[in-house]
Amino acid sequence: MSKAEQQHKARLALMGCMACLRIHGPHDPGPVELHHLRAGRGWGKGDYTTLIPLCHEHHRGNTGVHGLGSKGFPRHYGFTEADLLAMTKQLMETCA
Ligand SMILES: [Zn+2]
Ligand SMILES: [Zn+2]
């Protein structure tokens, strides 16, 4: 793992769950898991720039990206994984 990747992941972990942020607004971030956005083609193995921080529920829970699936998730929430990735990237830039 490169140093840039390590730093990127450490910062993602501090940002908290993007789905919770979108739904509840800013709040104390809990522990997160890193979800790899699989939509779209061409991301190589180890491409850490498409990781999204999510809490356990929004990641692997019944109302999470894996529980609902990539079609069910936007139907349930009204935003997509790609929207969450865009938020992640924006936050990365604003707190750089
Ligand atoms: Zn969450
Ligand atoms: Zn995942």
Side-chain angles (χ1 to χ4, degrees):
M1 203 190 284
S2 71
K3 200 167 182 195
E5 182 174 358
Q6 264 175 5
Q7 284 174 343
H8 186 89
K9 287 182 176 172
R11 288 179 62 201
L12 288 177
L14 291 173
M15 280 158 52
C17 172
M18 286 300 115
C20 287
L21 182 62
R22 181 98 183 204
I23 298 163
H24 307 297
H27 59 290
D28 286 341
V32 295
E33 300 172 355
L34 299 179
H35 172 66
H36 215 156
L37 185 70
R38 281 174 298 179
R41 295 173 297 167
W43 58 270
K45 205 177 172 194
D47 181 4
Y48 57 86
T49 62
T50 55
L51 290 169
I52 306 167
L54 293 170
C55 66
H56 181 78
E57 179 58 31
H58 285 133
H59 188 214
R60 297 182 191 280
N62 290 333
T63 60
V65 285
H66 293 288
L68 292 169
S70 55
K71 290 214 172 83
F73 187 81
R75 255 204 305 271
H76 188 82
Y77 291 109
F79 53 83
T80 65
E81 290 171 73
D83 290 333
L84 297 181
L85 180 62
M87 278 174 70
T88 307
K89 293 194 164 175
Q90 209 172 21
L91 275 175
M92 272 289 177
E93 275 165 29
T94 51
C95 23

